[in-house]
Amino acid sequence: MELKTSNKTRPGTIIEKIKSTKATTRFVLAVLIPSALWYLIFNGIPMIYAFYLSFFKMNFLDPPKFVGLQNYIYSFTQDTDLYLSLLNTVNFMLSTVLIGGIIAFIFALLLNDIKKGAAFFRTVYFLPVVCSMVAIGVLWTWLYQPRFGIINSFLQFIGLGRLMWLQSPDTALLSVIVASIWKGLGFTIVIFLAGLQGIPGSLYEAAEVDGANRFQKIRHITIPLLRPTFVFILITGVINGLQAFTQMHVMTGGDGGPLDSAKTIVFHLYETAFGNYQMGRAASIAFILFVIIVVLTVIQLKFTNKKIQY
Amino acid sequence: MLKKINLFSFFKWLILLTGAAAMLLPFLWMVITSIKINSDIISYPPVLIPNQITFERYRRIFNELNFGRYFFNSIYISVIVTAAVLFTSSILGYVFAKFDFKGKNFLFIAVLSTMMIPFPVLMIPLYLLIGKVGLVDNHLAIILPALFNTFGVFLMRQFMESIPNEFIEAGRIDGASEFKIFSRLILPQTKPALAAMAIFSFMWQWDSYLWPLISQSSSRNFTLPLGLATFSNQYYTDYGLVMAGATVSVIPIIIVFLFMQKRFVKGITMTGLKG
């Protein structure tokens, strides 16, 4: 995201001339006051309150009690579920971003290369994107069903063994990852296609004159020029991946999978807050997540502000 | 050389077609499962093309189970939220783009910085808040926190900036009120951005799961994702019924997408390229 400084009103425009009339002031205030109130009630105050809560022991049974840094200390030193869920989250996030990204990149390159049928393929790849994550999770849970699911029937048919998929600690997270990549692929392809279409054709023609082959062109023109797109997909994928919850909750029937193997950090936060009613402890987990996301966003701003040179 | 090109072309189409099959077959299997008779569902080798089909499950989905209600809830909440977000984003974006006032930069940065707050941080205080004001298990708990969308404000501001000031000037000379200038002269020119925002906002709300899960508790208040998840948990051994539920959840949105896919893709690239 590029933040431009606000559009300076050009000298002589009407805005500058009558900017302080009663009518404009009234209009601006009529917009700003309700907006500011909404932002305070639904963002500002909750944010501060969450921070405040993270220093309290609060469970609805006893009155809230100030405990200092204890929630954070507990999170970092004793909360083994947090550690496990953080590990699962990172695993999920890296797999979906990297594997999903590479598959989407290949499909985008191929789609960009054909004329007939590109619209058809794009439509088909995009279908899962418009469906809700819950519906996709429910659908894949059936495909993964160990006894009657079509995936195991297929594996058996081609002579491979059956797997327990969502019901084994070894494969539960993997199963969620595959379904998530499947759901998000069309979105990433469309973003890559938009990037590919922004590369001037003359660059490829010049490379052809120099005798570059297909792969050299991708290596030396496409990939360097798509850098902003790669960075965008990486960062948004990481930020969204860090907050993954829905597919895990749906596909594990709400329990996080065998041995919590598909439990993510938001899942753990949700259970801490709304399963065990440890609001203060949950708030501290939320703030740890917040800090991670802010750091990543700042890195993103640094990256995307660097302009590429043709 | 010619042979090499053909080989590449062969693999290109092979990969693209395999990808298309991988996308379509799960949906096809979902529909087939939902209309098969139970003995076919659990047979091995799987019955690919059923001899006997049944629509009984669809009757149950709508008559005995609450799916009609879930649909209605999801549609009306998503429509209200989308309409509200379009209005708030465009009017706040307009004010930030076209007016000068004290503290504007500070306010704009403050608004933008809320984009960094992940929802999981807000959900605990928001839950305590709706508990305090008695909105637990009430759709207002979903609607009120969704009335503004910061990304929408940002997008609309960018779009409004490209509209020449002369339009505002002309409106003022004609004596139109500030709100009329906004609604009659400026807003109609932002249709592409509004369409993109509408799709983005509707899909986002339609897909929303975590907050409805926390804020709603009775079945009659469930949105479609929440209803589908709860129902599939309850009937998880009735594979055909669960797939019928999944089918009715995805088919309407897929049909809408097929009719307006150009707008969809445009909207996604326009709003998707946020960050």
Side-chain angles (χ1 to χ4, degrees):
Chain A
M1 175 177 65
E2 193 192 338
L3 286 184
K4 281 192 295 174
T5 47
S6 91
N7 188 26
K8 294 280 175 293
T9 31
R10 274 150 266 143
T13 57
I14 197 83
I15 294 214
E16 204 178 42
K17 274 188 221 152
I18 61 164
K19 73 176 165 192
S20 56
T21 66
K22 258 191 185 148
T24 55
T25 313
R26 224 174 22 224
F27 178 71
V28 167
L29 286 179
V31 173
L32 284 183
I33 291 171
S35 307
L37 275 177
W38 185 90
Y39 271 99
L40 275 179
I41 294 171
F42 293 105
N43 280 288
I45 294 169
M47 184 73 193
I48 294 164
Y49 192 60
F51 190 59
Y52 170 84
L53 262 185
S54 70
F55 299 103
F56 281 80
K57 183 180 164 144
M58 185 175 168
N59 54 14
F60 292 129
L61 294 173
D62 319 302
K65 191 178 131 212
F66 181 77
V67 292
L69 284 172
Q70 226 173 69
N71 288 327
Y72 289 95
I73 292 167
Y74 176 85
S75 292
F76 279 113
T77 57
Q78 284 168 38
D79 194 350
T80 47
D81 273 6
L82 175 65
Y83 180 72
L84 173 69
S85 62
L86 198 58
L87 220 63
N88 287 338
T89 308
V90 170
N91 190 348
F92 170 83
M93 170 191 97
L94 288 179
S95 315
T96 46
V97 171
L98 296 179
I99 301 170
I102 289 168
I103 298 174
F105 182 58
I106 292 170
F107 274 102
L109 284 176
L110 295 177
L111 273 185
N112 204 34
D113 202 57
I114 61 170
K115 283 180 188 69
K116 236 189 251 165
F120 164 78
F121 285 113
R122 199 187 57 193
T123 305
V124 169
Y125 299 152
F126 208 76
L127 285 180
V129 179
V130 298
C131 300
S132 69
M133 184 50 100
V134 171
I136 299 301
V138 168
L139 165 57
W140 276 82
T141 307
W142 164 234
L143 302 180
Y144 283 129
Q145 213 285 335
R147 275 185 72 192
F148 314 116
I150 190 75
I151 295 177
N152 268 353
S153 298
F154 179 73
L155 289 181
Q156 188 173 356
F157 176 74
I158 61 171
L160 294 169
R162 286 163 171 262
L163 288 170
M164 290 307 283
W165 297 113
L166 289 161
Q167 292 171 28
S168 152
D170 300 323
T171 49
L173 189 61
L174 173 80
S175 311
V176 177
I177 289 169
V178 171
S180 304
I181 290 176
W182 183 82
K183 164 132 172 59
L185 201 63
F187 179 83
T188 319
I189 290 175
V190 165
I191 300 286
F192 270 129
L193 276 175
L196 285 172
Q197 276 146 20
I199 299 176
S202 56
L203 287 175
Y204 291 113
E205 284 154 29
E208 265 161 42
V209 172
D210 292 343
N213 67 29
R214 203 182 292 274
F215 294 102
Q216 283 168 329
K217 279 190 282 184
I218 292 172
R219 168 79 187 76
H220 295 289
I221 298 173
T222 314
I223 291 178
L225 286 183
L226 274 189
R227 210 190 69 136
T229 311
F230 281 113
V231 172
F232 169 79
I233 285 169
L234 181 75
I235 299 293
T236 51
V238 165
I239 289 174
N240 290 332
L242 277 176
Q243 299 179 53
F245 169 79
T246 304
Q247 54 269 62
M248 290 77 185
H249 195 253
V250 171
M251 295 176 79
T252 64
D255 74 356
L259 303 178
D260 291 341
S261 51
K263 197 173 275 182
T264 56
I265 183 164
V266 174
F267 202 128
H268 178 55
L269 167 60
Y270 167 79
E271 279 192 336
T272 308
F274 303 104
N276 307 330
Y277 294 105
Q278 301 272 10
M279 294 293 177
R281 214 170 256 176
S284 76
I285 299 170
F287 259 85
I288 295 169
L289 178 70
F290 175 65
V291 169
I292 297 173
I293 287 177
V294 168
V295 168
L296 288 171
T297 311
V298 170
I299 294 174
Q300 174 204 18
L301 286 172
K302 280 241 157 71
F303 261 107
T304 41
N305 275 350
K306 276 186 206 150
K307 280 272 180 308
I308 48 152
Q309 305 266 313
Y310 284 98
Chain B
M1 189 64 198
L2 198 69
K3 207 180 151 200
K4 206 169 142 194
I5 288 169
N6 282 340
L7 194 68
F8 175 81
S9 185
F10 172 76
F11 277 111
K12 181 171 75 186
W13 287 99
L14 184 72
I15 294 172
L16 287 173
L17 285 168
T18 310
M23 290 296 154
L24 288 176
L25 289 178
F27 286 119
L28 190 64
W29 195 239
M30 168 183 80
V31 176
I32 290 175
T33 306
S34 75
I35 56 173
K36 269 194 218 175
I37 55 167
N38 279 332
S39 59
D40 280 355
I41 289 178
I42 57 168
S43 73
Y44 182 85
V47 179
L48 298 179
I49 299 150
N51 283 322
Q52 219 182 325
I53 59 168
T54 168
F55 292 102
E56 165 63 14
R57 300 190 186 98
Y58 287 94
R59 194 193 59 75
R60 281 188 69 191
I61 286 285
F62 284 104
N63 291 353
E64 291 166 32
L65 300 153
N66 246 340
F67 268 73
R69 184 72 195 227
Y70 303 155
F71 250 105
F72 174 76
N73 288 344
S74 261
I75 289 174
Y76 104 84
I77 291 174
S78 301
V79 166
I80 289 178
V81 165
T82 303
V85 161
L86 289 185
F87 178 72
T88 56
S89 300
S90 51
I91 201 161
L92 195 53
Y94 175 60
V95 164
F96 277 127
K98 291 297 181 191
F99 291 83
D100 266 332
F101 49 89
K102 230 188 230 162
K104 172 171 143 175
N105 276 344
F106 168 77
L107 279 180
F108 188 60
I109 299 289
V111 165
L112 275 193
S113 64
T114 64
M115 276 210 277
M116 265 194 276
I117 306 175
F119 180 73
V121 174
L122 298 177
M123 72 188 188
I124 295 165
L126 283 180
Y127 178 74
L128 299 175
L129 176 72
I130 62 168
K132 273 250 156 38
V133 296
L135 287 181
V136 176
D137 204 19
N138 186 320
H139 286 154
L140 281 177
I142 302 178
I143 295 168
L144 291 178
L147 291 180
F148 282 70
N149 180 305
T150 302
F151 172 66
V153 175
F154 176 70
L155 183 84
M156 292 313 291
R157 173 188 168 270
Q158 300 289 83
F159 212 86
M160 298 278 185
E161 278 189 335
S162 63
I163 296 172
N165 288 341
E166 280 69 30
F167 284 95
I168 305 170
E169 190 178 353
R172 282 180 188 154
I173 289 165
D174 286 350
S177 71
E178 288 298 319
F179 184 75
K180 264 216 172 100
I181 294 173
F182 162 73
S183 62
R184 298 276 164 83
L185 297 176
I186 305 297
L187 211 51
Q189 300 183 57
T190 60
K191 270 187 194 142
L194 285 176
M197 266 309 294
I199 287 165
F200 169 80
S201 165
F202 190 92
M203 277 178 58
W204 178 77
Q205 190 57 50
W206 184 263
D207 201 20
S208 169
Y209 178 65
L210 178 55
W211 181 239
L213 173 71
I214 294 167
S215 65
Q216 310 298 313
S217 54
S218 47
S219 170
R220 73 192 147 81
N221 283 337
F222 283 0
T223 57
L224 190 57
L226 188 53
L228 177 64
T230 312
F231 147 84
S232 74
N233 233 343
Q234 214 170 345
Y235 291 89
Y236 74 101
T237 49
D238 196 341
Y239 310 110
L241 189 66
V242 170
M243 283 306 106
T247 305
V248 299
S249 308
V250 302
I251 294 299
I253 196 108
I254 284 182
I255 290 172
V256 172
F257 164 65
L258 290 179
F259 274 106
M260 359 191 313
Q261 52 167 314
K262 278 223 172 88
R263 280 215 175 279
F264 254 80
V265 172
K266 225 187 226 161
I268 292 294
T269 35
M270 201 163 162
T271 54
L273 286 169
K274 57 166 179 167

